[in-house]
Every structure is written in structure tokens, then in C-alpha cells.
Amino acid sequence: MINVTLPDGSIKQYDESITGYDIAMSISPRLAKEVLSISVNDEVWDLSRVISSDSSIKLHKWDDEEGKNAFWHSSAHIMAEAIEAIYPGTKFGIGPTIDNGFYYDVDLPEGKVITEKDLVRLEQKMLELARQKNDIVRSEISKADAIQLFQDKNDEYKLELINDLEDGTITLYNQGDFTDLCRGPHLPNTGAVKAIKLLSVAGAYWRGDEKNKMLTRIYGVTFPKAKLLQEYLVLLEEAKKRDHRKIGKEMVLFTFSQDVGLGLPLWMPKGAQLREQLELFLKKVQKNFGYEQVITPHIGNVQLYKTSGHYEKYGKDSFQVIKTPQEGEEYLLKPMNCPHHCEIYKARPRSYKDLPIRYAEFGTVYRYEQSGELHGLTRVRGFTQDDAHLFCTPDQLKEEFKKVIDIIFIIFKALDFKDFTAQISLRDPKNTEKYIGSDENWDKAEAAIIEASAEKGLKTVTELGEAAFYGPKLDFMIKDAVGRNWQLGTIQVDYNLPERFDLEYTGADNQKHRPVMIHRAPFGSMERFVAVLIEHTAGKFPLWLTPEQVVILSISEKFNDYAQKVSNILNISDIRTVVDDRNEKIGRKIRDNELKRIPYLLIVGEQEVESNSVSVRQQGQGDKGTMTIDEFARFIKKEVESQLEAIHINQKSN
RNA sequence: GCUGAUGUAGCUCAGGGGUAGAGCACUUCCUUGGUAAGGAAGAGGUCAUGGGUUCAAAUCCCAUCAUCAGCUCCA
């Protein structure tokens, strides 16, 4: 008998030939029906694998990452089996799971191609295979036998993979007529896969290296219930409707021009208005937190970037040097603001009493991105960072870090990002050479980030080896209204630049000390943030932010003067209005303006003129009754204020 | 940058070796209205750009540019 510890701490005794599936069955048949994989001593296993010694276990269902992974991994194998059945002689690369499904890279026989049209046929074959409820069987195999097997199949990709594996760790999985090299884990049989959607076909280089052959990558997603697939497809459709490039065009927020250049967004009046509101908002918050605005030029002498080390690291992959016609001076378009801010710090002697110093700038930077990387506003070549650099003593680091986290919380609250996590990126402890700075400083900085995050109650994941070469960082990931993850704000600790720029302050001991620097950009960039915001809100921005808050619709042209008067009165109270005085019926005006996503529609006609009032309609909510103009102005201002309540949190302490 | 697909009116798209199409938007006129599309007329395109094939090219071929998807990359 063996002892099996369940997640709640209880211990059950089983035979030594027990499997994960048997354990689930012993708890309840219903659980056994839903369970997909099992963690045995923190290692994820197949449910059908025999557990022969004392273990602590956790059963995984669809809702767990581990459960989904097994499900999709097995689905990738089913897809491979279907491909092999339809296109015999196909060679297989890798077929992993991804965030939302799985893919398989395949090398089709000479002359064969798979296009989007072929996917339906492939789906049907997969369903057929799934319904056969074939057992998925794990077997361990020696390296020599594995090589033999895939030599017989003439699959050079698998052979290459096996080559990198150690003898004794190689496993195969088989279902039906298909055998694959695979670490697992997998479902007990193919029957759990009930709904299948193959999403797209794309090219992908073997092992991501463009020198290698391009394989065909097929993306798919599967579900244990047909209903889940339907929901997923609706979500995909919704995501498509929210594409910021589409909405940006519809709402006339920004555009691109071939003549201006790739990846260089042009902000149109309404987009500029939106950006300005965001900037004003952040400036106010930052002022409360003791930041000072600075302004620096868009270019800097090459020497500046040689000092910072960026020239050496990125010089070749940047926009190239700008030369003066006469003196032959060399400048670079600034790819980041930090060196400029360091020079501001350096311009005067600093005392420990001055610290922390916090310089903020909406700094526009230019980075060369490969043409294929450019994407709407999320990936551009010229963008404006909501940048700031904090210079502090090592002892102040944690406190400053916490305050930056507070700012990010305020932003997320004002913009209704409820679901977010953070990633702590630390250095790889096994490979400390590629990082600069002393071990002592790294330890201190990493501890500061970890403690600050914990004290702020932040949900975090920690990634080793993901730190920048100059310091550890904290990145925020938000989940948008349709469940997609976006990386937004970032906070980074930097020991490199203070060193390279020889930044100093005089301590209480009258000695020179090196300050620590924090880079932080809560939005990341204005461009990217606006893009995320558009997709999160589907263009229905919160009232405080939206470029056009109120539209006034006249019933007929006779009331255009009154409409204009209402607009003027609201403008005095800083309410952003537009007037729709077109020669159209009211129904038409309502429809058009509802579609323009303006939060409030005011209808004015004879009755309103007589009582000096407006008839209020809220976007998407219909008629809200009548108010006087003053009442409406107060109502709007109150709503804006309540949305911006968090702005007033005053953290100034210096 | 690489692979593939796409490029027709401001927008969304149809068509396709022989005078360039629709809906919406736009302009003008009629209508002056009460909570999601009133009516009529009009204007608008070197069919991405450059070459080639052809009696004839928006259509076929080649190249270039851009867009989209994926790969790689992101201080």
C-alpha cells in the first residue's frame, strides 16, 4: 500500500498499481469524468500512469492550466494523426500547447500544401479519430530505439530533437495508428475531445531559425464541450470587432501615411484629445507623488549613447547617425529618455537630502523595428513613453517602488482594468555573467521588488533570467474585457546608468555615494496604451477620458441656435461637446451618434427651449428624462469626479 | 528581415483581356420632424507603383511598395 496526500492534506491509502484516474474514480465518478491530468509530487503526469510510491497529488480539470495543457497537447497529437492519415509521408516538427490552444509544425510531402480551405476536412478527420476514444499510451524507450524508429519514419526533425535528449528520459505516446516523440502528459484517451476548431495555417521556420526550412504551422483549439467552443468563437469575433486599427479608423483617432513612413502614427484631432486627457491625468497623479516634469530634445550626441552603453548594444539596429553639415557632429534620434535625464541629474551637485528625485517626461523616442513587426499602434517606430526616472538611495528603493505600484493601481482603477497580475523578472542565478553590477546590489534590488510587491498585495509570477542586463524589473499584465492578456506598465531597477554616468550624491557621512535609478512607465507608451484601451473598451471610453462627452441634437433646424447655446454653456464647465445640426430627422441623428460612441446625447426642441432644459439620452441606455442645462452640467461633472476619485490620493512625501 | 495572402471611390466590398460597379459617407435640393436609417438629384477612381505580353491590360506575367497573418525581434 502507498500513502497518497491530497491537496487538502488528507491522506488516502491505495494499492501500488493505482493510477491518477483510479484515485479520481475513488473520490467520485463525476470527478473521474472531468479530470484531465494529475500532478504527482509537483510533476504533471498522465492519469493513466501508475503511481507506485508515496506521493502528494493534485487532480487537474479543465479550469486548471495543467488540465488544459494535457487536453490541448493530446489534441495536437490527434491533429497530427489526422494529418498523417490525409497526407501520408508528412514529417512532424513540434506540436506544443499555447495560451489558447495548440499548433503543430509539419513538413508536408513534396507538392502538397494545406490551405485554410483544407482545415474543415482536417477537423472532420480529427473528430472521427477523437470519437474512436483511442487510448493514449505512454512508453519509455531507449535513445537507440527512438533513433531507429524515427529513421524508419524518415523524420529528420524528430531525430534532431532526440539527439538533444538524454538516454533514459525519452518517452513515446501512441494513440490509434499514430506514435509521437513526446514528454507528455496526455489524456487517457482521445474521447474527451468533443469540439474542434482549426484556426489558421501559417509558415514557421524549423526551430524559429530563418536559415532552416519553413514548415507549415497549423493552429487549433479544442474543447470538452461544444458549448465552450461556441463561446470561444463568439469571443474571437468580439476581439475582431474591437481591433484598435478598425476602431481607430471608425472614430477618426489616428492614421498612417506611406509618405510619412512606416510605423509613424499620425494623431488626428480626436485621438490627440484622448492622449491629452491621459497625459493630464497622469501628470496630476504624478504631481501628487512628488514628480517633476522635465523636457529634453529628440536627439542626442552619439557620445551620450556611447556613455550609456546603448550605442554598443543597439547602435547597429537603430535609426542611423544624423550628421551636421559643417562640423561633422554625430547625433542619434533618441531611443530612450534615460541618458538625457541622467544629464539633468548630473547638472548640479546632489545631497542625500535632495533624494529621491523624480523626473517625468512624456518623451518621444524612435526605435527601428523590422518592417514585419509593425502593428497598428502596438508596435511602432516612433512613440511617446510616459517615462520617469527616479534617483534614490539604496535604502529608499523599496519605498519608491511601492509608490510606483500605487500609481499603477490608480491608473488601472481609473481605466477599469480590474484583472491584472505582475511578473517579477530576476536574473538567472546560474548565469550571472551577462548581468552588470555587484551581487550585493542585485540581491538588494531583487529583494526590494519582491518585498514591495508582496506588501502591496500584488499577484505575481517570478521569472528567472528575464531581468534586463542592468537590473531586475516588474511588468504588469492586464486582462482585457474579452480575456486577452496585454503587457503594460513596467518598473525597472538600474545600477548600470548611475555607474556609467558617474552619478553621485553626498551622504550624511559627507562621502560621495552612487544613487540607484528606477525607470518606470505605467502606460508603457501612449500609443500602445491607447491601443489596449480601445480594445478593452471597444472604443467606449470612460466619460472623463472620451474626446467627445456630449452631443447635442436639434429636433429641427429651428432649434440649432438653442443647441449651440447649450453647447457653449457646457463648454464653460469644461464639458466637451459637439452639436449635430444636420438637416436630418431626430431618429437619424440618434442612430448616427449612438454609433459614434458618444456617452451622452442631448435632444433639444420646442419643449426644451421653453423650459431651458435638455432631454438626456445615455449611449446604449435610451431616454433618461429631462434636466435643466445646469442640472445636466452638475450631473456630468459629478460623474467625471467620481471616476477620477483615485487621482486625489496624495502620496507626496519628500 | 523571412514565408504566404491581399491591394478597385473617403469607408466596407463586388467584378474582371474590349466605356469602372454597389451600399454607406460626401454635395445640392425637397422636407422641419420628438428618441436607432425621410425623399430626390449630383459629384467622386491612372483599379497600389513601374515594367512586360497583347490589336487591346484594372484583369495575364515580372519587379517594387504597402497592408494583413505567421516566424524572428523588442533598450
Side-chain angles (χ1 to χ4, degrees):
Chain A
M1 295 296 270
I2 58 165
N3 292 322
V4 171
T5 311
L6 300 178
D8 66 1
S10 64
I11 296 174
K12 289 198 167 199
Q13 290 203 324
Y14 293 102
D15 283 341
E16 276 155 39
S17 59
I18 195 81
T19 67
Y21 182 79
D22 298 332
I23 294 174
M25 201 64 180
S26 77
I27 296 170
S28 99
R30 193 183 166 143
L31 177 63
K33 220 175 149 183
E34 287 183 19
V35 74
L36 299 170
S37 65
I38 179 171
S39 284
V40 179
N41 299 327
D42 290 331
E43 198 181 323
V44 188
W45 281 22
D46 314 294
L47 286 174
S48 49
R49 195 164 158 188
V50 173
I51 302 165
S52 52
S53 57
D54 289 358
S55 307
S56 62
I57 63 120
K58 184 173 189 309
L59 293 162
H60 302 296
K61 298 196 289 186
W62 176 255
D63 295 333
D64 298 338
E65 192 92 342
E66 294 86 347
K68 274 201 184 83
N69 276 338
F71 194 88
W72 283 333
H73 205 160
S74 296
S75 301
H77 281 217
I78 297 171
M79 182 166 81
E81 187 181 1
I83 292 169
E84 196 168 56
I86 298 177
Y87 305 92
T90 298
K91 297 168 188 175
F92 293 89
I94 54 165
T97 62
I98 50 178
D99 281 354
N100 277 306
F102 57 89
Y103 67 79
Y104 218 118
D105 285 345
V106 300
D107 187 4
L108 293 162
E110 198 65 30
K112 296 277 184 193
V113 282
I114 294 183
T115 67
E116 308 260 335
K117 292 182 203 84
D118 302 316
L119 295 182
V120 176
R121 187 165 155 228
L122 211 46
E123 278 170 17
Q124 283 161 356
K125 184 72 189 172
M126 284 175 71
L127 269 178
E128 183 189 321
L129 293 169
R131 286 187 186 132
Q132 290 171 4
K133 296 191 166 72
N134 294 319
D135 286 339
I136 302 178
V137 182
R138 176 181 191 272
S139 55
E140 290 174 16
I141 184 172
S142 72
K143 190 162 180 170
D145 287 347
I147 290 171
Q148 186 61 48
L149 178 74
F150 286 99
Q151 256 169 9
D152 292 347
K153 285 183 95 173
N154 199 21
D155 192 329
E156 67 256 33
Y157 306 105
K158 293 294 178 192
L159 285 169
E160 200 179 316
L161 293 174
I162 292 167
N163 221 5
D164 295 342
L165 295 175
E166 284 191 25
D167 206 355
T169 65
I170 301 175
T171 53
L172 296 179
Y173 281 82
N174 167 275
Q175 93 262 4
D177 298 327
F178 181 76
T179 301
D180 201 357
L181 172 78
C182 185
R183 194 181 298 124
H186 282 280
L187 304 176
N189 71 68
T190 61
V193 178
K194 304 286 192 201
I196 297 169
K197 179 71 187 172
L198 298 185
L199 299 160
S200 62
V201 193
Y205 298 101
W206 169 238
R207 302 203 139 180
D209 187 336
E210 64 185 71
K211 289 189 219 57
N212 289 336
K213 181 166 182 184
M214 178 164 284
L215 308 180
T216 302
R217 175 171 297 180
I218 303 172
Y219 286 90
V221 64
T222 53
F223 297 91
K225 285 188 187 128
K227 194 171 145 237
L228 290 171
L229 173 61
Q230 285 312 317
E231 285 169 8
Y232 179 73
L233 292 177
V234 168
L235 213 61
L236 275 190
E237 205 51 44
E238 183 58 30
K240 219 190 248 173
K241 277 192 225 147
R242 287 164 178 258
D243 189 317
H244 74 277
R245 292 165 300 182
K246 181 172 168 313
I247 292 180
K249 212 181 254 180
E250 279 167 20
M251 296 181 73
V252 206
L253 299 174
F254 57 88
T255 190
F256 290 89
S257 149
Q258 279 191 38
D259 288 339
V260 171
L262 297 186
L264 299 170
L266 303 171
W267 290 84
M268 297 167 96
K270 278 208 277 168
Q273 168 72 252
L274 184 71
R275 240 181 91 150
E276 188 172 77
Q277 291 303 321
L278 282 171
E279 289 189 6
L280 287 174
F281 166 72
L282 188 54
K283 273 184 184 166
K284 266 188 211 164
V285 175
Q286 287 179 169
K287 199 170 175 203
N288 288 342
F289 277 76
Y291 286 61
E292 299 167 290
Q293 291 292 134
V294 296
I295 296 170
T296 65
H298 284 209
I299 61 174
N301 195 295
V302 166
Q303 189 51 48
L304 185 69
Y305 303 103
K306 286 186 176 161
T307 302
S308 73
H310 290 106
Y311 185 80
E312 195 194 351
K313 206 164 163 59
Y314 295 103
K316 283 198 292 297
D317 300 318
S318 296
F319 283 113
Q320 290 304 290
V321 164
I322 306 165
K323 288 198 170 102
T324 58
Q326 301 273 327
E327 304 83 349
E329 295 167 50
E330 294 188 325
Y331 292 89
L332 279 180
L333 274 171
K334 81 173 165 187
M336 79 288 295
N337 304 299
C338 7
H340 291 73
H341 291 185
C342 285
E343 290 297 317
I344 294 179
Y345 178 92
K346 230 180 136 170
R348 298 177 57 79
R350 307 291 179 175
S351 148
Y352 73 99
K353 293 176 188 167
D354 299 330
L355 304 185
I357 287 172
R358 310 180 187 93
Y359 292 142
E361 176 176 18
F362 288 93
T364 303
V365 298
Y366 298 90
R367 294 179 186 178
Y368 170 74
E369 305 284 357
Q370 295 184 46
S371 58
E373 303 314 319
L374 302 170
H375 180 95
L377 287 182
T378 57
R379 199 72 191 279
V380 288
R381 284 179 171 174
F383 57 96
T384 302
Q385 295 179 305
D386 57 323
D387 212 355
H389 294 96
L390 284 56
F391 303 88
C392 64
T393 69
D395 292 338
Q396 292 168 330
L397 185 59
K398 184 169 119 188
E399 215 34 53
E400 283 308 301
F401 220 91
K402 281 164 73 176
K403 286 184 192 171
V404 178
I405 294 175
D406 280 333
I407 291 179
I408 290 174
F409 282 175
I410 289 171
I411 290 167
F412 285 178
K413 182 151 188 281
L415 292 159
D416 202 31
F417 291 114
K418 294 195 178 82
D419 195 347
F420 58 89
T421 55
Q423 177 181 313
I424 301 175
S425 299
L426 306 179
R427 64 176 177 168
D428 181 356
K430 285 184 288 235
N431 185 10
T432 54
E433 274 101 74
K434 62 178 198 182
Y435 305 97
I436 61 156
S438 69
D439 287 348
E440 189 198 343
N441 280 340
W442 270 90
D443 290 344
K444 219 174 195 172
E446 292 187 349
I449 294 184
I450 292 165
E451 285 168 26
S453 307
E455 285 170 33
K456 284 291 162 191
L458 205 52
K459 260 194 292 178
T460 57
V461 290
T462 302
E463 294 290 339
L464 297 177
E466 289 289 308
F469 70 95
Y470 50 76
K473 60 178 184 173
L474 184 70
D475 293 313
F476 284 78
M477 320 282 182
I478 62 106
K479 190 167 260 190
D480 76 9
V482 285
R484 292 165 304 171
N485 289 309
W486 299 87
Q487 193 204 309
L488 285 181
T490 177
I491 320 177
Q492 310 188 354
V493 179
D494 188 349
Y495 288 101
N496 176 38
L497 287 184
E499 192 77 38
R500 284 179 165 266
F501 280 91
D502 197 22
L503 304 184
E504 292 176 340
Y505 65 90
T506 306
D509 55 3
N510 199 27
Q511 298 294 306
K512 298 292 185 198
H513 297 275
R514 189 77 73 208
V516 189
M517 194 171 163
I518 298 175
H519 309 248
R520 42 108 283 174
F523 291 155
S525 78
M526 301 310 289
E527 284 73 9
R528 188 178 160 78
F529 192 75
V530 167
V532 174
L533 203 53
I534 289 172
E535 305 216 358
H536 181 55
T537 60
K540 292 176 187 168
F541 303 114
L543 185 65
W544 70 267
L545 177 64
T546 202
E548 292 168 344
Q549 296 172 310
V550 177
V551 58
I552 301 137
L553 318 179
S554 52
I555 294 277
S556 81
E557 290 180 333
K558 281 184 282 188
F559 308 107
N560 281 352
D561 287 347
Y562 181 69
Q564 192 56 54
K565 180 186 146 192
V566 172
S567 169
N568 293 343
I569 293 172
L570 295 177
N571 288 162
I572 291 168
S573 303
D574 284 330
I575 296 164
R576 299 184 290 277
T577 64
V578 278
V579 176
D580 186 348
D581 56 8
R582 290 176 304 160
N583 177 8
E584 293 290 350
K585 287 192 170 179
I586 196 65
R588 179 53 181 272
K589 292 191 186 185
I590 288 170
R591 178 182 156 79
D592 289 350
N593 287 289
E594 286 270 347
L595 292 175
K596 281 165 82 178
R597 307 173 171 89
I598 300 177
Y600 285 98
L601 286 68
L602 302 182
I603 290 146
V604 297
E606 198 173 353
Q607 297 158 29
E608 288 77 16
V609 171
E610 277 168 14
S611 57
N612 210 32
S613 65
V614 292
S615 176
V616 182
R617 196 186 152 100
Q618 195 174 355
Q619 208 265 353
Q621 318 255 327
D623 198 347
K624 293 274 165 185
T626 303
M627 287 184 206
T628 68
I629 302 173
D630 289 344
E631 273 169 359
F632 179 73
R634 281 197 298 275
F635 169 75
I636 291 291
K637 286 192 81 84
K638 208 173 151 194
E639 189 174 340
V640 167
E641 266 167 39
S642 77
Q643 284 178 354
L644 290 180
E645 226 171 314
I647 217 176
H648 300 299
I649 296 173
N650 196 323
Q651 286 277 337
K652 200 184 224 165
S653 63
N654 203 350

